[in-house]
Amino acid sequence: MTYCVGLYLRQGIVLLADTRTNAGVDNISIFSKMQVEEVPGDRVLALATAGNLAITQAVWNRLQEGVWLNGERHTLRSVPNMFHAAQLVGQAVRDVYRDDGPTLSAQGIGFDCSLLLGGQIAGGPPRLFLVYAAGNFIEATVDTPFLQIGEHKYGKPILDRVLSYDTPIPDGVKLVLVSMDSTLRSNLTVGMPIDLLVYRTDALAVGLRRRITEEDRYFRYVQENWSAALREAYLRLPTPDWLA
């Protein structure tokens, strides 16, 4: 399993992904699940992936080599806008399914993948998409300013309660870290280190890309203080007046 979350904010895009992959309790590895294409002054596109690692790596490799879309061969460096970028990722997923899906099915393995694509291409606004295993996709909106893939249920409540499109990027970073911490505590198949990317609207360059390890002082502070704040809030709740 994995957990990736993307925020679509007025100030830009925030992406966070864990790095754990496992094929059993005794076969755990670390692989980056976030890839970035950056052409300073022209575009920044980031892809976070969940699901079968062989499938998602094959999708990324096809995107590097070029994928046929609307009669032309494109990469993420050549598509004219973010909508076409999402279409390109979806087509890459379908191409991998066409080639590998029957063999996987014969082995009893499902075609499991999902991808978050976020960024901006010059001439258009920042956008954030979730691409499914069928190659179709949805887009984050002002009303729904975050998307998640993988083991998302533990990290969703804090985002539902607090996040809005107008949340400043620094607060958004805090929220995705709390969201990830909640997931790490409740699911052993999601693990450190975690990869963070911050992109600010119209910068057309990566603002921050950081690998956060267990030794990261700020993340440890978030973990300790968020737990303490939750305990304190719980203790402040009054006892129900209908409880004998």
Side-chain angles (χ1 to χ4, degrees), residues 138-152:
I138 62 172
E139 183 175 4
T141 68
V142 172
D143 295 321
T144 307
F146 71 92
L147 297 171
Q148 301 167 287
I149 56 176
E151 188 56 83
H152 61 269

Side-chain angles (χ1 to χ4, degrees), residues 16-17 98 109 111-113 118 161 187 209 215 235:
L16 186 70
R98 179 198 63 213
I109 301 172
F111 191 82
D112 176 28
C113 72
R161 289 178 181 273
N187 193 310
R209 190 175 183 187
E215 288 73 40
L235 292 171

Side-chain angles (χ1 to χ4, degrees), residues 3-5 7 145-148 150-164 167 174-184 186 226 230:
Y3 176 51
C4 303
V5 55
L7 307 185
F146 71 92
L147 297 171
Q148 301 167 287
E151 188 56 83
H152 61 269
K153 57 183 176 289
Y154 303 107
K156 189 173 186 290
I158 182 64
L159 301 175
D160 283 335
R161 289 178 181 273
V162 180
L163 186 75
S164 76
T167 299
K174 287 188 286 185
L175 284 170
V176 295
L177 292 177
V178 169
S179 178
M180 179 63 76
D181 176 57
S182 298
T183 306
L184 291 170
S186 299
W226 179 246
L230 285 176

